[in-house]
Amino acid sequence: MLTMRGMTAVRISAIAFAALALLPASASAAGVTISGDDGNPLAINTTAPTPIRNLDVSYGVTFGSSDPAYHKTTVLGPDGAAASSGSSCYPKSAITNVSRHADYRGNGTYAVVVQTFTNSACTAGAKEQRFLYSVNAGTAITPPTGIVLTRLPNSFSTITHKVPVALNPGAYAYEVRFARGGVIGPDGGISGPASDAFLDRNTGLADARFTEPGQYVMVARIKSGDYYTPWSAPIQFAVKAPFDLSFVGFPDPDGPSYKLRGTLRDPYARGSRVTVYYAKGKKGGKFRKLGRSSKINSRKRFTLRFKLRRPGIYRLQYRFKGSSLVLGGKVTEAIRIRRTIRFG
């Protein structure tokens, strides 16, 4: 027959056992690493996400001696969906280290989920821990420096400009887009048609060709699998055409009053005027103003009537002060006046 003291002891022991049964399972002794921005293993923990930018992530799990006999691992992305294929149920006696690739599913916090079990079906004695890391990948564009031209004067070839783009660790596919008069849409990209610039990942330079002058906008982002990083902050810059002439003729070459007609290579200076100067001789001498031309018309032409009474060799200089689309410049050529104007 139990005494009251004995009954009390039994009751207290039963209550303590029930309380222990309600305690959470002890933490796993596993160690978890991911490939950091430099490609080397970087330890992560369960309390705060370890920040990285790397898009080519692999995780590694090493199980300790106190861990149960069987284990499974996987990675969850910021959206809660699997970012890696889940491992099978492995015995710790055969596999103490697990290494697998984790896909990029957008910027945000990822969790390496480590589960351990006491039976070979991985159904009993389950314990789970989540080791955290966060990805904040992206890129940026440095605006072109100096004057950006469509082509060099007197050249028919479009210039290939090298535009610096910031590289991101583990990124292999970049999308660099630009548009003349482009508008940024709600997603941060260019709304409407845009051209692509090829990025050399060895140099971080994107090849861009601008066939028309105007105001341009450019953005970039990175593609990894089926996912993209956010678009970079847009850059804006002006592109101009050079000032040069394709032809100068003299519809009225008989002096002392002459008429010249010039034709520009590009149509972008329409409505502007060219100022013409002259200097005596093949070299040296001060340039003096002959006059301002008519407005450049839709056929890229301008005209000017002027007087030169003394025969000889002259240099004519065509000056353009510049506009929003055309860079200011000057072109010089020699003419010879006898009774009529001749070049050279």
Side-chain angles (χ1 to χ4, degrees):
M1 182 175 180
L2 293 174
T3 63
M4 181 63 67
R5 182 176 181 180
M7 290 178 65
T8 302
V10 171
R11 185 178 299 141
I12 292 174
S13 297
I15 293 172
F17 179 80
L20 288 172
L22 294 175
L23 290 175
S26 61
S28 168
V32 179
T33 62
I34 57 170
S35 45
D37 292 346
D38 59 0
N40 294 317
L42 177 66
I44 61 175
N45 57 61
T46 60
T47 55
T50 299
I52 61 170
R53 298 178 61 231
N54 190 13
L55 291 178
D56 188 18
V57 176
S58 294
Y59 73 90
V61 181
T62 301
F63 292 93
S65 58
S66 61
D67 283 313
Y70 300 90
H71 56 77
K72 296 172 69 175
T73 62
T74 191
V75 177
L76 299 180
D79 55 359
S84 71
S85 56
S87 70
S88 302
C89 184
Y90 293 121
K92 188 179 68 174
S93 58
I95 300 176
T96 58
N97 297 280
V98 176
S99 180
R100 303 174 77 87
H101 183 266
D103 296 329
Y104 176 71
R105 295 184 64 87
N107 286 349
T109 299
Y110 291 71
V112 180
V113 182
V114 178
Q115 296 175 308
T116 57
F117 304 87
T118 55
N119 67 335
S120 60
C122 283
T123 57
K127 298 178 184 178
E128 178 181 297
Q129 279 190 298
R130 299 192 175 198
F131 295 78
L132 308 175
Y133 69 94
S134 61
V135 178
N136 184 26
T139 184
I141 308 174
T142 301
T145 58
I147 298 171
V148 183
L149 288 175
T150 56
R151 57 179 178 82
L152 292 175
N154 303 314
S155 172
F156 294 98
S157 299
T158 305
I159 298 173
T160 299
H161 293 274
K162 304 290 187 179
V163 182
V165 178
L167 300 178
N168 190 91
Y172 301 103
Y174 290 78
E175 184 176 353
V176 183
R177 312 210 75 199
F178 61 92
R180 180 175 180 264
V183 176
I184 299 300
D187 66 344
I190 297 173
S191 177
S195 300
D196 294 299
F198 171 76
L199 176 68
D200 185 341
R201 290 191 292 109
N202 294 316
T203 63
L205 298 175
D207 292 345
R209 296 160 62 90
F210 311 109
T211 58
E212 293 183 275
Q215 290 293 323
Y216 280 77
V217 63
M218 180 180 285
V219 292
R221 65 179 178 178
I222 303 167
K223 184 178 188 297
S224 181
D226 295 329
Y227 289 81
Y228 294 85
T229 65
W231 287 104
S232 66
I235 63 168
Q236 297 185 6
F237 53 94
V239 175
K240 294 195 173 188
F243 170 71
D244 53 8
L245 303 174
S246 65
F247 178 78
V248 175
F250 292 85
D252 182 2
D254 297 322
S257 177
Y258 307 94
K259 180 181 180 181
L260 70 79
R261 180 169 62 212
T263 304
L264 278 64
R265 292 188 187 277
D266 291 325
Y268 308 116
R270 180 179 179 180
S272 299
R273 298 177 188 269
V274 176
T275 305
V276 184
Y277 293 77
Y278 77 98
K280 191 75 166 62
K282 289 186 176 181
K283 60 181 180 180
K286 181 179 179 180
F287 278 97
R288 301 178 184 276
K289 185 176 179 180
L290 276 179
R292 293 186 71 207
S293 73
S294 64
K295 289 185 178 180
I296 299 167
N297 63 24
S298 60
R299 301 177 68 182
K300 304 179 288 186
R301 292 178 177 175
F302 62 90
T303 60
L304 175 68
R305 181 166 288 278
F306 63 94
K307 288 183 179 182
L308 285 174
R309 298 185 180 278
R310 299 179 61 182
I313 296 176
Y314 291 84
R315 282 168 292 136
L316 295 185
Q317 191 171 88
Y318 309 90
R319 299 182 186 178
F320 183 72
K321 68 178 182 179
S323 67
S324 61
L325 299 179
V326 180
L327 183 67
K330 58 187 178 183
V331 176
T332 305
E333 64 179 358
I335 62 172
R336 181 186 296 272
I337 296 180
R338 292 192 178 119
R339 291 184 179 179
T340 61
I341 290 181
R342 299 177 184 273
F343 288 98

